[in-house]
Amino acid sequence: MTRGIMATLAKQISPPNLSIMQDEGFTVSRVRTELLSGLTVALALVPEAVAFAFVAGVHPLVGLYAAFMVGLITAVFGGRPGMISGATGALAVVMVALVAQHGVEYLFATVVLMGILQIIAGVMHWGKFIRLVPHPVMLGFVNGLAIVIFLAQLTQFKDPSDTEAWLAGPQLLMMLGLVGLTMLIIWGTPKITAIIPAPLAGIGIVAALVIAFGINVPTVGDMASIKGGFPSFHNPFGTGEGLYGTALAPFTLETLWIILPYAVILAAIGLIESLLTLNLVGEITGKRGGASQECIAQGASNVVTGFFGGMGGCAMIGQSMINVKSGGRTRIAGIAAALFLLAFIVVASPLIEQIPLAALVGVMFMVVIGTFAWNSFKVMTKVPLMDAFVIVLVTVVTVMTDLAIAVVVGVIVSALAYAWNNARRIHAYTRESESDKGAKVYEIEGPLFFGSTDGFIELFDVANDPDHVIVDFARSRVVDQSALQAIETLAGKYEAEGKAVVLRHLSRDCHQLLTKAGHLMVDSDDDPDYQVAVDYSVKTGILGGH
C-alpha cells in the first residue's frame, strides 16, 4: 500500500526546469547584468529583512538569514527565474503573536511545518487554482501591495534615536532631498547607459555623496547591526534553552496544536503572494512559470530556514520588480542576490551599514511607481461596475489587513457576481410540440444551478399547462445538486396535478449527473449525442422535493 502511495506521488511530480539561463544566451554581458541586478536586490533586501524582523519581534539576523536561505533555494529550484523571495511583511504580521506568546523557537517550528504544507500543495498541484483569481483581483493585489510598500518606507523617516518621533527640520529636508536625488538618478541612468542597473547607480552615487561629505542622515547601521556568521543547523524541537535565550519547542502534540493554525495561515499567505508574484513577473517578462514547482521550492526553502534559525518567507514583489527592471531574467540574479546578502552579513557589514536609508527608500519609491497599475484608473471607467468595485475592494483590504484575506475576498465577491449574472440568464421559450400532439415544450436557456433554481421554477405554468410537458435542455446545463432538487420539485408539482413532465436533449454530463442521482426512469446513451431524441421521465421523492 505504501509503495502504491509513493508511486502515485511520483506520478504527480513532473521533472522541474532547473536550467540556470533558461532561454537567455550565456554571454559575458548577460552574466554581468544578472550579477549587478543581484547586487542591487541584495542592497534593497537588507533594510527590508531587518524591518520585518522587528515587526515579528525577533532578532535582525533571524530576518537576514531567512532572506538569504529562502532567496537562495527558491532562486535555484523555483518555478519563475527572475523572481526574488525572502522575509516579508505579510508573514511577519502573523508571526508577531506567536513569538510574543511562545518565543522564537516555536516560530522556527512553525516555519518548518509551514514548509511541509507548501511542499504538499506543490506535489498535489494545488498551485493551479491560482488561475481562479480574476484579473480585477490581480489589479487590486498589485495596487494594494504598491501602497503597502510605500507605507512601509515611511518608517524610515523616523528618528533612529527615538522611533516614536519623526525627522524634522534640516534632517528631514536632507532625507527628502537624497530620496529625490536617488529617484532622479534611477530615472535618468537608462537614458545615459545600460551597463549599470539604474537602482544600483542611485544607491552607489547617493551613498558616495553621504560618506564623502559626512552628511548626517539615518543609515542602515542605525536600524541594527547586520554583522553575523554563517547560519548553522539548529533543531527547534526539544527541551532546554534555544537561540536568543528562549525555550525550545517540545516535540509533542500540544506543540503541534499551537503551531498548526499559524503554519496553515503562513503557508496560504506565502503561496498566494508567491503565485500572484509569479504571474506578475511572467506577464512582464513574457514567460510562463511553473506554479507547482514554485510551491515545492517555497516549501523546501522554509523547511530548511526553520532548521537554520530563519523566520521563513515567500516571494517579494518589490525586490522582484527591482530585479526585473534591472535586467535580471535568470536564476543567476536570484542566486547572486542571496550570496551577496550573506557576504554583507559575514564580511561587509561595516560598509553596508554606512549606506543611507534615503537611497534605499528612493529605490523602493521607484518600485512603487513602477508597480502600481496606473492604467487601472482608466480601466475602471470601461469595465463593468462590479469589476471596478473588486479592484478597489482588493486594494483597500490588502492595505487594511493582509494579502491572503484580500485575494480570498476578491475571489468570493467575483464568484458571487458571476453566479448572480448567470442566475439572471435563465429563461424559456414555449411552443407546441411537433412530435407529441397536444404537448407543450419549454426550451430552457441558461445554466440551471443553485443561483437560478428559483427563476427556473417560476418559468412554468403548472396549473394551466397541458397534461404532457417537455422540458428541452438543448441550450442549458444541469450543474449541481440544487438543480437536481429543482427538477424533482418541478416534477412533483406536475405529478400533483396529474400531469407528466419529461426531459429532452440532455448533454452527456447532465445525463450522467441525473442518472447518478436516480432521477431518470429511462437510461439511454443515445440522447446525450443528440442522435435520437429520448424523453426521460423524472422520478420524484429521491431528494425530498415535492
Side-chain angles (χ1 to χ4, degrees), residues 109-121 263 267 295-296 298-304:
T110 302
V111 171
V112 171
L113 181 56
M114 162 193 175
I116 293 172
L117 294 176
Q118 290 177 327
I119 291 174
I120 293 172
C295 291
I296 294 174
Q298 292 287 339
S301 69
N302 282 308
V303 170
V304 172

Side-chain angles (χ1 to χ4, degrees), residues 289-459:
S292 297
Q293 183 178 336
E294 185 63 34
C295 291
I296 294 174
Q298 292 287 339
S301 69
N302 282 308
V303 170
V304 172
T305 301
F307 281 116
F308 279 82
M311 62 184 283
C314 63
M316 307 179 75
I317 187 171
Q319 276 64 27
S320 296
M321 291 300 101
I322 291 175
N323 186 45
V324 171
K325 297 296 175 64
S326 298
R329 293 292 185 277
T330 73
R331 299 187 187 278
I332 291 178
I335 295 171
L339 295 178
F340 276 127
L341 181 59
L342 179 63
F344 296 163
I345 297 170
V346 176
V347 298
S349 57
L351 179 62
I352 301 303
E353 288 172 7
Q354 296 183 57
I355 295 177
L357 291 175
L360 300 175
V361 170
V363 171
M364 298 311 294
F365 278 174
M366 291 301 286
V367 168
V368 169
I369 294 172
T371 302
F372 194 91
W374 300 100
N375 68 323
S376 59
F377 292 113
K378 183 178 180 180
V379 167
M380 285 191 290
T381 64
K382 297 184 177 182
V383 297
L385 183 61
M386 181 54 67
D387 287 344
F389 171 74
V390 169
I391 294 173
V392 176
L393 176 65
V394 174
T395 300
V396 172
V397 176
T398 299
V399 175
M400 301 302 295
T401 57
D402 64 60
L403 169 68
I405 293 176
V407 171
V408 170
V409 168
V411 171
I412 290 174
V413 171
S414 297
L416 290 175
Y418 175 79
W420 175 252
N421 288 333
N422 275 287
R424 295 164 58 191
R425 289 173 53 195
I426 193 84
H427 60 281
Y429 296 102
T430 58
R431 60 177 175 82
E432 289 188 7
S433 174
E434 297 176 0
S435 58
D436 300 272
K437 296 300 181 182
K440 182 178 181 180
V441 178
Y442 284 86
E443 294 182 353
I444 308 299
E445 288 200 359
L448 180 55
F449 68 112
F450 69 90
S452 60
T453 53
D454 287 344
F456 172 74
I457 296 294
E458 293 171 0
L459 296 174

Side-chain angles (χ1 to χ4, degrees), residues 24 27 71 74 115 215 220 294 298 304 316 332 373 424 453 472 493 539 544:
E24 301 288 341
T27 63
T74 55
I215 301 174
V220 171
E294 185 63 34
Q298 292 287 339
V304 172
M316 307 179 75
I332 291 178
R424 295 164 58 191
T453 53
D472 193 327
K493 288 179 179 291
K539 294 180 182 178

Side-chain angles (χ1 to χ4, degrees), residues 24 80-82 278-288 324 328-329:
E24 301 288 341
R80 174 65 275 160
L278 180 142
N279 285 348
L280 181 63
V281 172
E283 288 180 6
I284 295 174
T285 60
K287 299 174 184 177
R288 296 182 62 187
V324 171
R329 293 292 185 277

Side-chain angles (χ1 to χ4, degrees), residues 55 69 105 229 321 394 439 537:
V55 169
M69 287 180 285
E105 296 296 339
M321 291 300 101
V394 174
S537 297

